[in-house]
Amino acid sequence: MAMEELRRGLSLSRWKRYHIKVHLADEALLLPLTVRPHDTLSDLRAQLVCQGVSSWRRTFYYNARPLPDHQTVREARLQDGSVLLLLSDTR
């Protein structure tokens, strides 16, 4: 029985979607994105490019910590309604 519940949970996560927002501090914009748990931050960057927003030389932050591009939405512990901050690198 436990194995069946695990399988059901895994198949549901494939269809799960989170509605998050990205705060572009430099432009004072808040953009909505729909993401999946296995999407990486690089995937989020691609979505922003499709909306005409460049994320070149910018870093995503969540709860005051920088997020690496290879990290997934699940690994970053993002949830429905989360807000990411996208800041220009100061280097």
Side-chain angles (χ1 to χ4, degrees), residues 12-81:
L12 286 177
S13 71
R14 185 179 320 150
W15 304 108
K16 187 178 280 191
R17 300 277 193 272
Y18 297 134
H19 300 284
I20 67 168
K21 294 190 184 326
V22 176
H23 180 213
L24 305 171
D26 297 338
E27 293 90 356
L29 290 174
L30 196 61
L31 296 175
L33 290 182
T34 301
V35 298
R36 295 169 300 211
H38 64 272
D39 287 347
T40 64
L41 276 291
S42 290
D43 296 328
L44 273 62
R45 287 184 188 278
Q47 283 192 44
L48 290 174
V49 168
C50 289
Q51 294 187 28
V53 176
S54 171
S55 62
W56 178 252
R57 293 188 174 220
R58 295 183 184 184
T59 302
F60 283 110
Y61 288 85
Y62 182 62
N63 287 339
R65 64 186 162 89
L67 303 175
D69 281 354
H70 66 273
Q71 195 168 39
T72 66
V73 167
R74 178 180 289 129
E75 291 167 346
R77 298 186 178 168
L78 301 180
Q79 301 173 4
D80 201 44

Side-chain angles (χ1 to χ4, degrees), residues 75-88:
E75 291 167 346
R77 298 186 178 168
L78 301 180
Q79 301 173 4
D80 201 44
S82 293
V83 178
L84 291 177
L85 180 61
L86 187 61
L87 284 178
S88 294

